[in-house]
Amino acid sequence: AEIERYRKMLGERVGNSTRGRQVFERVCSQCHTLIGSGGNLGPDLTAYNRGDLDYLLHNIIDPNAIVPNDYRAYTLETKDDLVLTGIISRQDDRAVTIISPGQTNVVPRAEIASLNQGLLSLMPEGLLQGLNVAEVADLMAYLKTPGAAVRSSSRETKAE
């Protein structure tokens, strides 16, 4: 129902991909990469089916529908009661590296009280709810643009 609501809300509205890049940078880029720009916590969106509005809306609105194991959130609790939630980027016999937005923690195995993988994505639900219709349309225009994330000229940069 939420996907249909956004589909209807967007209707034939055409967003502005330049403004959409700014929305992406504010809302998505700390976790996701798009054509070499952004974070590495979530999947790199470059090769995804970005030209399909239904695909985009489904994955943004319901991020927990299909969650690959690599992107399921872990909860790590240390013996001194520190709780960290994030994605495991590396682990071996000595330590576990857990990353969350803006933070990387390397925790020695000897300090870990528990480490549990959840079923949910680290991507929050309701991500679009903080945006107005124009921002959602702009974000969709940006995500759907082939070659998105590439600044093509200094003129475009000044126009921002």
Side-chain angles (χ1 to χ4, degrees):
E2 188 78 359
I3 293 167
E4 185 60 28
R5 184 174 77 79
Y6 274 97
R7 189 180 303 119
K8 285 180 182 178
M9 181 175 64
L10 291 170
E12 297 297 317
R13 186 179 197 111
V14 177
N16 177 292
S17 63
T18 300
R19 288 192 312 258
R21 180 174 56 228
Q22 294 168 350
V23 176
F24 180 85
E25 289 171 355
R26 188 178 80 234
V27 177
C28 312
S29 72
Q30 75 181 53
C31 295
H32 292 284
T33 297
L34 185 55
I35 310 192
S37 177
N40 62 359
L41 183 58
D44 182 336
L45 303 179
T46 304
Y48 279 64
N49 187 12
R50 296 180 294 118
D52 182 344
L53 178 63
D54 287 336
Y55 178 83
L56 291 172
L57 289 174
H58 180 77
N59 284 282
I60 294 169
I61 291 169
D62 191 4
N64 295 308
I66 300 172
V67 185
N69 279 334
D70 291 348
Y71 298 105
R72 289 188 180 179
Y74 278 82
T75 302
L76 183 151
E77 185 174 353
T78 65
K79 291 179 180 175
D80 60 352
D81 296 324
L82 174 65
V83 177
L84 302 170
T85 301
I87 303 297
I88 301 297
S89 65
R90 183 169 183 218
Q91 60 179 319
D92 57 30
D93 293 340
R94 294 180 297 177
V96 172
T97 302
I98 187 167
I99 57 175
S100 55
Q103 188 174 20
T104 299
N105 292 286
V106 179
V107 182
R109 288 270 182 190
E111 294 178 19
I112 297 174
S114 65
L115 177 62
N116 298 300
Q117 183 182 36
L119 299 176
L120 302 179
S121 168
L122 198 58
M123 183 169 163
E125 292 183 352
L127 200 63
L128 297 179
Q129 292 174 356
L131 304 176
N132 64 42
V133 177
E135 289 173 315
V136 173
D138 293 345
L139 177 61
M140 294 304 130
Y142 176 65
L143 290 173
K144 291 169 68 174
T145 301
V150 177
R151 293 180 187 254
S152 60
S153 71
S154 59
R155 183 184 62 215
E156 181 181 314
T157 303
K158 289 177 185 174
E160 293 176 44

